[in-house]
Amino acid sequence: MWCSVNIINAIGSAGLDIKVTTVLAGSALGVSYPPSAGTFSSDAVSTMTSIAAILAQHNAPLMINVYPYFAYSSDPAHISADYALFTSSKAVVIDAGLEYYNLFDAMVDAFNSALEKVNFGNVNIAVAETGWATVGNEPYTSVGNAQTYNKNLLNHVTKTGTPKRPGNIMTVFFFEMFNENLKQGPVEQNFGFFYPNMQPVYPFW
């Protein structure tokens, strides 16, 4: 936390207008379902309250990693492929009067709810990482699923925010540009849009 303050002060003293933020994994939440119940874990809540105060003061976003793939592949009995891949034609979750057609929005709004509970609902969310693996855990990983998820995600986040924050068109970073063969496990190695030789894994761009 104090490192962030020092970085902000150093950037300001240099006359630069650069936002400083931090990135959270989903594990920072103690409760994530339903989205309205989103709460930071007991271990993280004090630190996150302080961090959120700094972000609010400087109008900087909180960045999070959002991976519907991992949630879906770990619990396909309760999470449908349509909900994870943005292909559901009906609301899968209705929570506090809000309709959720995709898991991505639900995961983001769990963080929005957690920020509200520490009185910093004015801090916007940005997505530092999201993506879908093509290989390593079939049938959940596949070129088709990765292409579907990433294309539908792009179409979604460039047009609207989440049900809780419909007007917040978020900054979203796709994970990742290249497959990484030195990572552990075939799933972690295969989130890339391109092979290391720069050939595309599937048509996208």
Side-chain angles (χ1 to χ4, degrees):
M1 177 179 65
W2 290 114
C3 178
S4 297
V5 173
N6 291 338
I7 292 171
I8 291 169
N9 290 339
I11 289 172
S13 65
L16 300 174
D17 183 19
I18 299 173
K19 301 294 185 186
V20 176
T21 184
T22 190
V23 180
L24 299 182
S27 56
L29 295 179
V31 178
S32 60
Y33 180 85
S36 63
T39 309
F40 291 116
S41 70
S42 57
D43 291 340
V45 66
S46 177
T47 300
M48 285 310 307
T49 302
S50 298
I51 289 173
I54 295 169
L55 297 176
Q57 180 183 354
H58 295 278
N59 194 30
L62 174 66
M63 301 196 80
I64 61 174
N65 295 338
V66 183
Y67 283 100
Y69 160 75
F70 287 113
Y72 163 57
S73 64
S74 66
D75 192 11
H78 296 100
I79 299 173
S80 70
D82 284 341
Y83 190 48
L85 292 168
F86 292 90
T87 55
S88 177
S89 60
K90 61 181 181 180
V92 176
V93 172
I94 300 176
D95 174 37
L98 300 177
E99 296 185 343
Y100 289 87
Y101 287 76
N102 64 81
L103 181 55
F104 175 89
D105 280 350
M107 295 174 80
V108 173
D109 272 351
F111 273 95
N112 280 319
S113 294
L115 286 167
E116 289 174 355
K117 288 182 176 66
V118 295
N119 299 314
F120 285 103
N122 60 323
V123 172
N124 285 327
I125 296 285
V127 177
E129 290 184 17
T130 189
W132 199 285
T134 54
V135 176
N137 186 23
E138 292 72 14
Y140 313 111
T141 55
S142 69
V143 166
N145 282 350
Q147 186 179 44
T148 297
Y149 176 79
N150 284 321
K151 283 195 171 184
N152 287 339
L153 171 71
L154 179 64
N155 183 58
H156 178 67
V157 299
T158 54
K159 293 180 179 178
T160 187
T162 65
K164 186 179 278 289
R165 300 282 184 271
N168 180 27
I169 305 299
M170 292 178 291
T171 298
V172 176
F173 292 89
F174 287 96
F175 187 85
E176 62 185 329
M177 186 66 74
F178 293 100
N179 284 342
E180 298 183 77
N181 64 1
L182 297 182
K183 282 191 168 181
Q184 291 186 345
V187 171
E188 293 288 350
Q189 293 177 7
N190 289 284
F191 275 83
F193 287 95
F194 295 90
Y195 296 107
N197 65 4
M198 294 187 283
Q199 294 300 307
V201 178
Y202 52 85
F204 186 81
W205 305 104

